[in-house]
Amino acid sequence: QALNLAKEVQQSLLPKENPRIPHLDIAGKSVYCDETGGDYYDLLDLGKEKIGIVVGDVSGHGIQSALLMTTVRGSLRQRILRPESLAMMISDLNRQFHTDVESSGHFMTLFICEIDTRNRILRWVRAGHDPATVYDIASDTFLELGGKGLPLGVVKDIQYEENAGRIETNQILVIGTDGIWESFDPDGKRFGKDKFKDIIRSNAYLPAKSIAESMIKSV
């Protein structure tokens, strides 16, 4: 009963619906392998025609990871009330998170990006998380949004690096966790990044929600 209650509380903290933003089609989905887990995603209203998208993964599984996930969510949502660069926000978040996990050895990978629809600019910070993937339909090419940065909680006082790039028409941005590409089938075959990209390509003309559902179904 306690686990089911924890699951209900944690699921209620994830976005309840996909946002409706002119010129963008956004969808997210999270499925835990246990009742609770450390995976996290959120959609943040940054004002001035900007939206923030964040995906994170706390080390380990279960209740402890779930509690740390909720801590990061609350801290980040509080931090965006003082608008500064993404790098400064994540540097502050890391200092606070490091204090929480210093004795436990836990850490959290995180990828956060800001989509500026008015100026067609994408800014992002990568904190140890797998790079986000951008698929350009016209050229049939994939680009990874990398960048330097340790996972949150590893080192207390570090300055994270902010990256930026242009947003082009008919591009697909996909941010996931290793729960996708590090899954194994009953025969021990790894899902992998190649299959991940194949699913994006084969569903490129479908709505974002359909792409997300196709990815989860394939896993």
Side-chain angles (χ1 to χ4, degrees):
Q1 287 179 335
L3 279 173
N4 285 330
L5 178 59
K7 176 183 178 181
E8 184 178 327
V9 171
Q10 189 178 26
Q11 290 287 327
S12 71
L13 297 178
L14 298 175
K16 294 177 176 60
E17 58 184 22
N18 298 315
R20 296 182 179 181
I21 299 174
H23 314 300
L24 294 178
D25 179 20
I26 300 176
K29 191 173 182 66
S30 181
V31 180
Y32 294 121
C33 60
D34 300 315
E35 284 88 350
T36 59
D39 280 10
Y40 156 64
Y41 84 95
D42 207 352
L43 305 169
L44 309 171
D45 182 2
L46 302 179
K48 298 181 180 179
E49 299 180 52
K50 297 177 183 177
I51 183 171
I53 303 174
V54 55
V55 175
D57 184 4
V58 179
S59 59
H61 295 279
I63 292 292
Q64 189 173 15
S65 296
L67 288 171
L68 291 174
M69 168 269 192
T70 58
T71 297
V72 169
R73 177 191 182 275
S75 298
L76 185 56
R77 283 186 161 237
Q78 185 67 31
R79 183 62 182 79
I80 64 171
L81 298 178
R82 292 185 288 125
E84 290 176 314
S85 70
L86 290 181
M88 292 184 69
M89 282 195 273
I90 299 306
S91 297
D92 289 349
L93 181 66
N94 173 68
R95 279 190 288 273
Q96 183 171 341
F97 187 69
H98 182 273
T99 302
D100 293 337
V101 301
E102 189 173 9
S103 61
S104 70
H106 275 280
F107 60 89
M108 181 179 191
T109 67
L110 192 82
F111 186 96
I112 184 170
C113 67
E114 172 193 277
I115 300 176
D116 182 340
T117 58
R118 178 189 298 174
N119 299 304
R120 300 172 68 94
I121 295 175
L122 177 69
R123 298 180 180 87
W124 73 91
V125 172
R126 177 178 171 241
H129 201 79
D130 274 271
T133 300
V134 174
Y135 176 58
D136 186 87
I137 296 176
S139 62
D140 188 28
T141 57
F142 287 91
L143 171 69
E144 288 195 335
L145 303 183
K148 297 178 181 179
L150 292 171
L152 302 180
V154 176
V155 177
K156 184 175 184 179
D157 292 307
I158 58 173
Q159 182 61 45
Y160 283 88
E161 175 183 285
E162 185 172 307
N163 307 273
R166 291 282 300 171
I167 302 172
E168 303 297 339
T169 302
N170 292 328
Q171 287 186 332
I172 300 173
L173 168 67
V174 185
I175 314 169
T177 71
D178 58 13
I180 298 173
W181 41 82
E182 291 188 6
S183 293
F184 290 85
D185 68 14
D187 296 324
K189 184 178 179 181
R190 191 166 173 264
F191 192 87
K193 284 289 184 76
D194 288 341
K195 187 174 179 64
F196 172 75
K197 292 178 180 178
D198 287 343
I199 293 168
I200 298 172
R201 179 187 283 116
S202 61
N203 292 278
Y205 290 98
L206 296 178
K209 184 178 179 180
S210 297
I211 297 175
E213 290 175 347
S214 295
M215 189 70 68
I216 296 297
K217 184 179 179 180
S218 296
V219 173

